[in-house]
Amino acid sequence: MKKNKEIILIVDDSKETLELIKRNLTSKSYNVFTASSVDSAINILESSKIDLVITDLKMPGINGLDLVRHVRENYKEIEIMMITGYPTVDTAVKAVKLGAEEYLTKPFTDDELFTIVEKVLAKQKMKTSKKKETKKVIALTHEIIGESKVINDVLKNIKKATTTIATVLITGESGTGKELVARAIHYNSSRASFRFVPVNCGGIPEGLL
């Protein structure tokens, strides 16, 4: 397999179509799997990491729409393209509703194929990038929810506090989330691998404290 290139699964009951699309995509350095039935495609999906599924609509037994549904329900990160020689508005709408990103009608040119494949994979990269950014934000906020200027100022201060070894004093009324802020600082600092131990000083008798 070629390194650093997306992996595409082509599903079509026509050997000629499989070979044609495979040859074209391989020429662009994509890694390509082929399957002549939905059952074979599902086996490949279970054993291999796939970035994009290109499936025919009409196939003997289980059809392409069923495969689109299966992929969307079980592999949300995989993008889907549908190709068909029997285009109708109804099937196009169904395919999109079930989760297909693009719908390509046979016969199509090499340029049409490449353009749509690149478009779909670019969209996937954008989604992946957004997910990574969201995870970074969640890691920093540690369940602190809000988009106001005040909350954003708090998050900026949390970020500053994670870089210091100094003792941090967090003040605020009861129930405003002081412990959440403390957790966010702890789990984004160099001490994140150690336990976070909250102590409820208000519950300890004054003499004992």
Side-chain angles (χ1 to χ4, degrees):
M1 285 243 172
K2 302 174 183 67
K3 293 182 178 180
N4 302 321
K5 258 299 181 181
E6 294 86 354
I7 304 171
I8 300 174
L9 170 60
I10 309 163
V11 189
D12 200 304
D13 60 319
S14 166
K15 289 184 179 180
E16 292 77 13
T17 301
L18 285 178
E19 286 303 316
L20 177 62
I21 298 177
K22 180 179 180 180
R23 184 167 63 249
N24 287 337
L25 294 178
T26 301
S27 72
K28 294 292 185 180
S29 299
Y30 291 110
N31 294 302
V32 179
F33 285 99
T34 61
S36 57
S37 69
V38 172
D39 286 336
S40 297
I42 290 173
N43 289 334
I44 293 172
L45 287 167
E46 289 174 349
S47 60
S48 305
K49 181 186 180 302
I50 302 296
D51 296 300
L52 169 63
V53 171
I54 301 176
T55 180
D56 190 19
L57 170 61
K58 291 194 174 183
M59 291 179 283
I62 308 173
N63 65 32
L65 287 175
D66 293 320
L67 178 59
V68 172
R69 184 183 293 107
H70 177 80
V71 172
R72 193 48 64 233
E73 289 176 353
N74 297 280
Y75 305 95
K76 298 186 186 303
E77 72 284 359
I78 295 177
E79 298 299 329
I80 309 167
M81 273 177 59
M82 175 159 282
I83 55 176
T84 180
Y86 307 92
T88 67
V89 173
D90 184 51
T91 54
V93 170
K94 282 183 180 178
V96 172
K97 280 186 175 180
L98 288 172
E101 289 290 340
E102 293 290 340
Y103 188 89
L104 190 58
T105 302
K106 299 177 185 178
F108 45 80
T109 66
D110 295 347
D111 286 340
E112 286 174 331
L113 174 66
F114 296 145
T115 298
I116 292 184
V117 167
E118 288 169 6
K119 178 182 175 183
V120 172
L121 291 173
K123 190 180 294 185
Q124 184 188 54
K125 286 180 181 178
M126 190 178 297
K127 287 179 184 177
T128 302
S129 178
K130 285 183 178 178
K131 283 181 181 178
K132 286 181 180 178
E133 287 302 315
T134 300
K135 285 181 180 179
K136 286 181 182 178
V137 172
I138 290 173
L140 174 63
T141 60
H142 206 77
E143 299 181 4
I144 298 173
I145 300 170
E147 297 180 356
S148 68
K149 182 182 181 304
V150 175
I151 287 293
N152 286 330
D153 288 343
V154 170
L155 295 177
K156 287 178 183 176
N157 288 329
I158 288 172
K159 192 171 183 179
K160 288 180 184 177
T162 61
T163 62
T164 180
I165 59 172
T167 301
V168 178
L169 174 64
I170 304 165
T171 62
E173 297 295 326
S174 178
T176 54
K178 296 186 293 297
E179 187 175 322
L180 277 179
V181 171
R183 285 181 183 275
I185 293 172
H186 176 79
Y187 286 112
N188 286 280
S189 73
S190 59
R191 301 172 296 282
S193 59
F194 297 95
R195 288 179 60 199
F196 175 81
V197 185
V199 178
N200 180 16
C201 296
I204 301 175
E206 184 178 346
L208 181 59
L209 183 60

